[in-house]
Amino acid sequence: MQFRYYLLLIIAVMAISWASILTLLSGAQPIAVAFWRTAIAAAVLSPLLIIEKRRNNTYAPLRNETILMVVSGIALATHFMTWIESLYLTNVAASTTLVSTYPIFTLAMGKLIGEKVGKRSILGTLVAFLGIVLITVPEFYVSMKALIGDLLALVGSMSGAVYFLVGRFIRVKVSLAMYTVPVYSVSALTTLFVGLILHSRFWPYPLYTWLYILMIVLGPMLLGHTLLNYSLRYSRAITITTSTLGEPIVASLLAYIIFHQVPRALTVVGIVMTLLGIYMVISEETRMQNDLSED
């Protein structure tokens, strides 16, 4: 069971690592990518939800749980819209690293609701924060465009933390389809609403753009995010969010190979410090979780 669990996480991380690359290759507007990614995913998973309802063996969400799923969908839409936009403003390495800091925000939000936080986690948060400073502050003197991209990635990180925290709370009660279809649908509708206000172009696009969007849906969305949502039923949110630390590493290598993107030396130092800080948080949380299970 443990091997199967870790294998699923590895597959999920490898899948989401391609999201930034496929998005840039698509050439579609950021909000359009965010919309089609969740809308198509919701449509593909809807038959599973219909089958479950026909069997009449599914847990029906309570009113407050339904409200939380709406919140999760809005958070997911915010996560995708801000992060995808950041990819067009800053480099892939900085964007994917900053958006992967949501274990830090997950920890902070968990603290607000009374979860215990260890000293190593606090130290790790400080190290990660220093890494974020090294990534973002130099952009203020070099490129305001890149700085905005970095800040958008951080907003994507915070909204991602909300998405995973709510998912952890709901997924212990409802099935995967019962959770993902409503959340993806709310995310798509939220993105569509924002896109219409901003006069974003959802179509038409050339055939190659639709092929890349389809790959985003099949890989990062259905295989990546859905597997992460599946894992939320069996693990704490911070464990799942921590597993995504592999995304900036893989994505940065792919960006170097495909786009020849080479981040500045100080950015690399900041990325290393940020990932180290998040790892410290993860290791502390894992230890605390193991101690609780032993008790």
Side-chain angles (χ1 to χ4, degrees), residues 246-292:
E247 179 184 0
I249 298 173
V250 177
S252 298
L253 290 174
L254 291 172
Y256 173 75
I257 295 171
I258 297 172
F259 302 122
H260 307 293
Q261 287 189 6
V262 182
R264 286 183 292 275
L266 194 58
T267 301
V268 174
V269 174
I271 289 172
V272 173
M273 290 194 66
T274 301
L275 295 178
L276 174 62
I278 298 174
Y279 173 76
M280 292 173 66
V281 171
I282 295 169
S283 60
E284 173 78 359
E285 289 299 301
T286 301
R287 183 187 64 79
M288 292 175 64
Q289 188 173 357
N290 291 335
D291 290 344
L292 286 175

Side-chain angles (χ1 to χ4, degrees), residues 35 70 73-75 77-78 81 185-195:
F35 168 73
V70 172
I74 295 173
T78 304
M81 287 189 290
S185 298
V186 170
S187 177
L189 290 173
T190 303
T191 308
L192 178 63
F193 177 73
V194 174

Side-chain angles (χ1 to χ4, degrees), residues 220-233:
M221 196 66 208
L222 289 177
L223 190 59
H225 268 263
T226 303
L227 278 180
L228 292 177
N229 281 318
Y230 171 82
S231 302
L232 282 171
R233 190 182 184 97

Side-chain angles (χ1 to χ4, degrees), residues 1-2 4-13 163-164 167-169 171-172 174-176 179-180 184 223-241 243-244 289:
M1 184 65 182
Q2 280 289 86
R4 175 173 173 267
Y5 169 73
Y6 287 119
L7 179 61
L8 290 177
L9 282 182
I10 291 173
I11 293 173
V13 171
Y163 165 64
F164 278 111
R168 174 56 180 161
F169 177 77
R171 273 288 289 126
V172 296
V174 304
S175 68
L176 182 63
Y179 175 72
T180 55
Y184 291 175
L223 190 59
H225 268 263
T226 303
L227 278 180
L228 292 177
N229 281 318
Y230 171 82
S231 302
L232 282 171
R233 190 182 184 97
Y234 308 101
S235 181
R236 295 176 63 187
I238 192 162
T239 304
I240 302 303
T241 54
S243 69
T244 61
Q289 188 173 357

Side-chain angles (χ1 to χ4, degrees), residues 86-147:
S86 76
L87 290 171
Y88 291 84
L89 300 174
T90 188
N91 60 71
V92 169
S95 176
T96 54
T97 299
L98 291 172
V99 83
S100 296
T101 57
Y102 38 74
I104 302 299
F105 296 108
T106 303
L107 184 71
M109 294 174 188
K111 176 66 175 177
L112 291 176
I113 61 176
E115 289 190 352
K116 185 178 179 182
V117 179
K119 293 181 180 179
R120 185 182 176 91
S121 296
I122 296 175
L123 178 60
T125 300
L126 294 176
V127 172
F129 179 76
L130 180 57
I132 292 172
V133 170
L134 291 177
I135 294 172
T136 57
V137 170
E139 305 284 19
F140 182 81
Y141 302 97
V142 178
S143 170
M144 184 59 66
K145 176 183 175 182
L147 176 61

